[in-house]
Amino acid sequence: MASHIVGYPRMGPKRELKFALESFWDGKSAAEDLEKVAADLRASIWKQMADAGIKYIPSNTFSYYDQVLDTTAMLGAVPERYSWTGGEIGFDTYFSMARGNATVPAMEMTKWFDTNYHFIVPELGPNTKFSYSSHKAVNEYKEAKALGVDTVPVLVGPVSYLLLSKPAKGVEKGFPLLSLLSSILPVYKEVIAELKAAGASWIQFDEPTLVLDLDSHQLAAFSAAYTELESALSGLNVLIETYFADIPAESYKTLTSLSGVTAYGFDLVRGTQTLELVKSAGFPAGKYLFAGVVDGRNIWADDLATSLSTLQSLEAVVGKDKLVVSTSCSLMHTAVDLVNETKLDSEIKSWLAFAAQKVVEVNALAKALAGQKDEAYFAANAAAQASRRSSPRVTNEEVQKAAAALKGSDHRRATNVSARLDAQQKKLNLPVLPTTTIGSFPQTVELRRVRREYKAKKISEEEYVTAIKEEINKVVKLQEELDIDVLVHGEPERNDMVEYFGEQLSGFAFTANGWVQSYGSRCVKPPIIYGDVSRPNPMTVFWSKTAQSMTSRPMKGMLTGPVTILNWSFVRNDQPRFETCYQIALAIKKEVEDLEAAGIQVIQIDEAALREGLPLRKAEHAFYLDWAVHSFRITNCEIQDTTQIHTHMCYSNFNDIIHSIINMDADVITIENSRSDEKLLSVFREGVKYGAGIGPGVYDIHSPRIPSTEEIADRINKMLAVLDTNILWVNPDCGLKTRKYTEVKPALTNMVSAAKLIRTQLASAK
C-alpha cells in the first residue's frame, strides 16, 4: 500500500529560511547563501520522507515566497511596472513582485483559501505575454533525483491559477481570465516535456478551486485544459489534487472525467461528504484515489483506528492496489516537528502530531492496510486518544454554562452607531479625517532581546517592565511629534498578538518552535486550544493605563478579537468551532469592560481573520457569519456609548461580506485597502451605505516602499468620492511591526501631512 504527502513546511525546524531571506533582503548575505540554505532544507525534507517510507514524495512545494508567485514566474507573467526584460526570472524581479521596491509597489497579497497563509495575486490581461521564465520545478526535481530521491513534481494547476488571478490595472473588471487558458498551456507543455526528459514518472497538479462553487463555464475550462495537455502528459501518471473542503458533485463528475488523468486526491478531513460521494457516485475503474485522511491543517494526532476504518471502506470501492494514503492538504499549515518541543506538557504533547509525525502516521496507515500493522504504535495512539477524551483539564463546567447562556440574545449595544459616534466625538474632540495606526510599531532587535531575556529569566520583572515602559514612552512621543490623533502603545510586550492573549487565557497550550509560515518570511506560532477557555486575570489593562498616562491624546486599548484568536490558533476538534469562539468572546468581554473601567476611551478589537474563516462553499456562509459576528458583538455589548470600539481587518476580499461587517456594529473599522488597488472602495461606489467610522488603509505596510504625501492624498480623495467626510479615518493598511523605523517615520509623516492637506482643502472649499 502506497503513501503520499501533498506538501511540506518550508521554513525549517528553526526557521532557517526566514532568517536567510531577511539577511538577503537586508543586504547582509548573497544570493548564493540564500540558495545554499534552501537547498539544505529541501534535501533534509526529501530525506526525511524517504526514510519514513513515503512512496510519493513531492518536489517544487518549496518556495522563497509562495507557490502562486512561483507559477507567475514560471509563466513569465510579470507586470510591466517591474521592468523585466525577459530571460530567467531572478531574485530582484521575484521579490519586487512580492514586496515592492523603492519605486514601484508590490502586487496584491491575499489569503490562500480559508487559511492564514497568503499568496501574491497574479495580474493578467489580454496583453499579458507568457513565456517559460522559471525552471524551478524541473531544477528541484533534478536536485532531488541527484540525491537518490524520485519525487512527484507539483505544479499549481492551470485553471486554478487563472481563477485565483485578477485583471491587471487598466483591464476591464469583467475581463474573462479563463480566456487566457490557451496562452498559458504552451508553457505548461514545455515544463511537462522537461520533467519527462528528466525522468519524472508522476506529476501533481494542485487544482484546489475545484472545491469552490463553480459554474458550468468554469468546470468546462478544466475539461478543456486537460484535454489540451493530454498528449503532452502521455507517459506520465497524473495526479489532480484538491483540498480544504468537500468537492461538489458536479465538480467530482468533471474531475473524474478528465482526459489523461491517473489519480485524484481528496481532503477527507474537511471533506467528509466527499467520502460518501466516492461511495455513492462511483469511482473510475483503474484510477488511483489519494485519500487525505491525515489532517494537514491541525496538530492533533490522527485517530488511527478511525482513519484505518475509513481507508478499509474505500478499498472496497477503488481496489486495494489503487488506494494511496495521503494528507488532507499540504503540511505547510502545521508546525514542523514535535521533537523540538522539549518543554511542552507531556500529557498534551501525547495528543499532538506535527508535520514530521504526520508523515509517520501516513506511512503507518499505509503499512496497516498492507497487512503490516504496527500494533504497538496503534495501541499508543489509542491510549493518547482516550487520555484526551477523559482528561479533566479539557472541561470547565462554569465556562460551558456561561457560553450556553448566550443563546436567546443578539448582544447589540443599546444605542445606534450614529448616536454613539456623536457622544464619542463630544468626548474625544477629534479633527476631520482623524489619523491613527493599527497597533504595533517596529519590533527592534533590542526589544526582542528584552523579551527573550525575560522569558529566559535572565532579567528581573522590574527590569523588564522598565524596558517596556521606555519603549512605550518612545512610541508615544514619536506619535505626538508626528501629530497623530489617536495613539497606540506599539505593543512592545507582544511577540505575536494571538500568542500574547493565549498565554493569559486558560485552555491554551504553547510551543517553543511551533512556527508556521504566513507569508514570505513572516512566521506565526499558533497557540493550541485544548480545553474550555476563560480569562483568569486582566491581560492588557496595566500596559494600556501606563501608555495613557504618558499622553493627553486618546490611547487605544489593543485586543485581538475572538474570531481571530480562534482562526489563528490550532483549535480543538472535539467540539464545534463556534462553541470555542463563544468562550473566547466571553473572556475578551471581561477585558473590554476592565479597560473601560480603567479610563481607556478607545478600544480596538482586531478581527483580522474574520473573513479568512468564511467557509469555501456559499451554502455554509450564513451560519458562519452569524456566529462569528455575534461573537464580536458579545465582546462589547455592555459598554458605554462614549467608549469607542474599533476593529481591524486585513488581506482578504471583504466586499462579499460587507453587510456582515456592518452588522458587527463597531464604531470604527480600519481595513486593508491600498495593496489591493483600493478594491474595497468599489463596494461603496456600488451603493452600499456605511454609517460608522471607516479607515481604508492609505499605504501598504508589507512593502519597504515609502509613499509620498501626494500619493496618500490622492488615495484619501478617492475615498472621499464614496465616503462621507465625517466618517473617514486615515491610517496604514496594517500594523507596523515588520517594518523599520527608517521606513515608518517618513511614511507616517507623509500620511499625517496628507491628512492635513486634505483638511485644509476641505475647509477652504466651505
Side-chain angles (χ1 to χ4, degrees):
M1 189 62 60
S3 52
H4 166 251
I5 304 297
V6 177
Y8 202 80
R10 307 157 179 160
M11 285 289 118
K14 297 181 179 177
R15 294 180 291 162
E16 292 89 342
L17 183 60
K18 168 190 171 65
F19 299 121
L21 282 167
E22 291 173 354
S23 177
F24 175 70
W25 293 336
D26 290 343
K28 296 177 181 176
S29 60
E32 294 78 11
D33 301 317
L34 175 57
E35 290 166 343
K36 173 69 166 58
V37 170
D40 289 346
L41 283 172
R42 288 192 296 267
S44 173
I45 291 166
W46 291 326
K47 183 178 186 302
Q48 178 187 352
M49 284 192 262
D51 289 348
I54 301 299
K55 180 175 181 180
Y56 300 112
I57 297 171
S59 61
N60 198 41
T61 57
F62 182 89
S63 179
Y64 289 106
Y65 215 88
D66 83 77
Q67 67 272 28
V68 180
L69 182 61
D70 291 349
T71 309
T72 295
M74 181 186 84
L75 295 169
V78 181
E80 287 185 9
R81 65 181 177 273
Y82 299 107
S83 302
W84 175 65
T85 56
E88 188 80 4
I89 289 176
F91 283 152
D92 283 352
T93 301
Y94 182 86
F95 288 128
S96 290
M97 289 192 287
R99 308 176 70 240
N101 57 42
T103 58
V104 292
M107 295 166 69
E108 180 185 351
M109 181 170 71
T110 196
K111 296 290 175 73
W112 178 245
F113 293 82
D114 57 348
T115 75
N116 187 30
Y117 181 66
H118 301 66
F119 72 97
I120 302 298
V121 182
E123 302 172 12
L124 308 176
N127 298 321
T128 304
K129 301 287 192 297
F130 297 100
S131 61
Y132 188 11
S133 303
S134 170
H135 292 66
K136 176 179 176 292
V138 177
N139 292 341
E140 288 189 15
Y141 174 78
K142 290 178 177 178
E143 185 182 320
K145 194 171 183 182
L147 295 170
V149 182
D150 189 26
T151 60
V152 178
V154 179
L155 300 177
V156 174
V159 183
S160 287
Y161 177 79
L162 292 176
L163 291 176
L164 294 169
S165 302
K166 70 173 186 176
K169 205 164 189 177
V171 174
E172 283 290 324
K173 184 180 176 183
F175 173 72
L177 291 160
L178 287 175
S179 68
L180 297 173
L181 193 57
S182 61
S183 300
I184 69 171
L185 289 179
V187 179
Y188 274 88
K189 288 179 181 179
E190 289 187 70
V191 179
I192 292 164
E194 286 197 5
L195 287 169
K196 285 170 72 172
S201 58
W202 278 82
I203 186 168
Q204 174 179 321
F205 291 99
D206 281 5
E207 293 281 14
T209 55
L210 277 164
V211 305
L212 304 179
D213 295 307
L214 302 179
D215 60 33
S216 58
H217 173 65
Q218 292 167 325
L219 289 174
F222 287 93
S223 299
Y226 288 94
T227 297
E228 177 64 24
L229 290 174
E230 185 175 8
S231 60
L233 291 167
S234 177
L236 281 173
N237 291 294
V238 179
L239 164 64
I240 307 293
E241 185 67 53
T242 69
Y243 36 77
F244 296 152
D246 279 303
I247 185 165
E250 281 303 306
S251 298
Y252 178 82
K253 184 178 177 182
T254 298
L255 172 61
T256 53
S257 302
L258 291 179
S259 302
V261 175
T262 315
Y264 315 99
F266 300 116
D267 181 339
L268 299 181
V269 176
R270 294 196 169 217
T272 52
Q273 293 174 37
T274 299
L275 182 64
E276 297 310 311
L277 190 61
V278 170
K279 293 176 181 177
S280 62
F283 192 77
K287 304 293 186 181
Y288 289 85
L289 192 156
F290 282 58
V293 293
V294 173
D295 193 349
R297 287 185 59 173
N298 216 329
I299 43 64
W300 303 108
D302 188 69
D303 185 337
L304 295 178
T306 298
S307 291
L308 185 58
S309 176
T310 297
L311 292 164
Q312 288 168 338
S313 71
L314 284 170
E315 275 187 327
V317 179
V318 304
K320 197 178 187 75
D321 61 333
K322 298 298 182 183
L323 185 62
V324 178
V325 184
S326 184
T327 54
S328 65
C329 62
S330 172
L331 295 175
M332 65 177 290
H333 306 290
T334 67
V336 179
D337 195 341
L338 197 55
V339 169
N340 297 320
E341 303 304 326
T342 56
K343 296 181 180 178
L344 194 60
D345 176 285
S346 59
E347 182 183 30
I348 293 175
K349 190 173 180 179
S350 73
W351 303 340
L352 308 178
F354 290 179
Q357 288 69 46
K358 289 176 185 293
V359 168
V360 175
E361 288 179 337
V362 167
N363 199 55
L365 286 165
K367 289 175 71 175
L369 271 179
Q372 302 167 35
K373 184 177 180 182
D374 185 334
E375 296 292 352
Y377 183 73
F378 271 71
N381 175 267
Q385 300 292 326
S387 161
R388 185 176 166 213
R389 284 191 294 268
S390 62
S391 176
R393 66 199 303 178
V394 170
T395 306
N396 182 323
E397 288 187 14
E398 185 178 338
V399 170
Q400 292 188 352
K401 286 179 183 176
L406 293 171
K407 294 171 184 173
S409 170
D410 64 2
H411 295 90
R412 290 184 182 276
R413 292 170 75 179
T415 311
N416 68 44
V417 69
S418 178
R420 297 198 309 261
L421 288 173
D422 287 344
Q424 292 156 12
Q425 178 59 16
K426 287 175 184 174
K427 194 167 186 179
L428 297 173
N429 193 29
L430 298 173
V432 172
L433 307 180
T435 54
T436 190
T437 64
I438 304 306
S440 61
F441 264 65
Q443 300 271 308
T444 63
V445 172
E446 174 62 18
L447 182 56
R448 293 179 189 278
R449 181 193 63 79
V450 167
R451 285 201 305 261
R452 189 169 58 248
E453 290 188 353
Y454 177 59
K455 276 199 165 185
K457 299 183 178 178
K458 292 181 179 179
I459 61 173
S460 67
E461 183 173 0
E462 183 180 354
E463 290 172 309
Y464 170 74
V465 169
T466 298
I468 297 299
K469 282 183 176 179
E470 287 174 358
E471 183 69 19
I472 292 172
N473 189 57
K474 181 177 78 172
V475 169
V476 169
K477 297 307 176 198
L478 172 61
Q479 292 172 92
E480 288 181 330
E481 289 167 13
L482 293 169
D483 204 17
I484 291 174
D485 300 306
V486 176
L487 311 190
V488 298
H489 77 293
E491 303 177 7
E493 78 283 15
R494 309 177 194 182
N495 179 60
D496 175 87
M497 65 187 208
V498 174
E499 182 181 7
Y500 175 79
F501 288 100
E503 284 178 339
Q504 300 181 77
L505 294 169
S506 64
F508 282 73
F510 299 88
T511 64
N513 295 290
W515 298 99
V516 177
Q517 184 183 18
S518 179
Y519 61 85
S521 68
R522 170 85 172 127
C523 296
V524 294
K525 196 165 50 163
I528 298 165
I529 306 177
Y530 68 84
D532 291 334
V533 177
S534 62
R535 185 202 72 149
N537 298 296
M539 301 180 286
T540 65
V541 175
F542 173 78
W543 294 118
S544 292
K545 281 179 65 177
T546 298
Q548 185 64 80
S549 71
M550 296 175 178
T551 182
S552 59
R553 302 188 184 205
M555 173 65 63
K556 285 197 276 192
M558 299 300 304
L559 304 175
T560 302
V563 185
T564 297
I565 290 177
L566 182 88
N567 285 335
W568 287 358
S569 298
F570 290 125
V571 183
R572 58 190 294 191
N573 58 2
D574 59 345
Q575 70 176 17
R577 289 173 70 88
F578 71 85
E579 291 186 12
T580 303
C581 198
Y582 284 154
Q583 293 177 0
I584 302 170
L586 288 171
I588 299 299
K589 180 176 183 288
K590 290 183 179 180
E591 187 72 12
V592 169
E593 291 165 0
D594 282 352
L595 282 169
E596 182 184 62
I600 304 302
Q601 300 174 55
V602 182
I603 302 171
Q604 182 169 309
I605 309 168
D606 284 346
E607 283 296 13
L610 187 139
R611 173 62 175 77
E612 173 188 310
L614 190 69
L616 300 178
R617 305 288 290 283
K618 290 176 184 175
E620 301 169 20
H621 286 189
F623 178 66
Y624 167 79
L625 289 169
D626 179 66
W627 63 255
V629 169
H630 187 191
S631 294
F632 177 82
R633 289 201 306 264
I634 288 167
T635 65
N636 59 91
C637 62
E638 293 184 8
I639 62 166
Q640 300 172 28
D641 289 352
T642 50
T643 299
Q644 190 168 84
I645 296 296
H646 288 222
T647 191
H648 171 68
M649 297 181 178
C650 56
Y651 300 103
S652 289
N653 180 10
F654 299 104
N655 293 24
D656 57 348
I657 63 163
I658 190 66
H659 294 289
S660 294
I661 292 173
I662 294 170
N663 198 29
M664 291 170 72
D665 200 27
D667 297 310
V668 178
I669 179 170
T670 54
I671 196 163
E672 180 271 327
N673 169 69
S674 62
R675 184 156 183 171
S676 57
D677 292 329
E678 294 150 358
K679 189 190 301 179
L680 172 71
L681 299 186
S682 66
V683 78
F684 301 112
R685 294 190 192 102
E686 292 162 6
V688 171
K689 298 298 180 185
Y690 194 77
I694 184 167
V698 296
Y699 80 92
D700 175 24
I701 63 85
H702 289 297
S703 170
R705 181 175 169 274
I706 298 165
S708 67
T709 298
E710 293 73 22
E711 181 183 331
I712 295 175
D714 180 60
R715 280 216 166 95
I716 296 171
N717 277 321
K718 287 179 181 176
M719 296 171 191
L720 288 172
V722 293
L723 293 165
D724 292 341
T725 307
N726 63 337
I727 66 169
L728 187 62
W729 285 63
V730 177
N731 46 262
D733 265 351
C734 203
L736 303 170
K737 69 185 295 181
T738 61
R739 301 267 55 89
K740 300 171 183 173
Y741 274 104
T742 52
E743 299 159 347
V744 165
K745 289 179 183 178
L748 290 181
T749 297
N750 293 348
M751 184 187 83
V752 173
S753 296
K756 289 180 176 179
L757 175 65
I758 303 298
R759 285 176 196 157
T760 301
Q761 292 173 354
L762 290 170
S764 63
K766 287 183 179 179

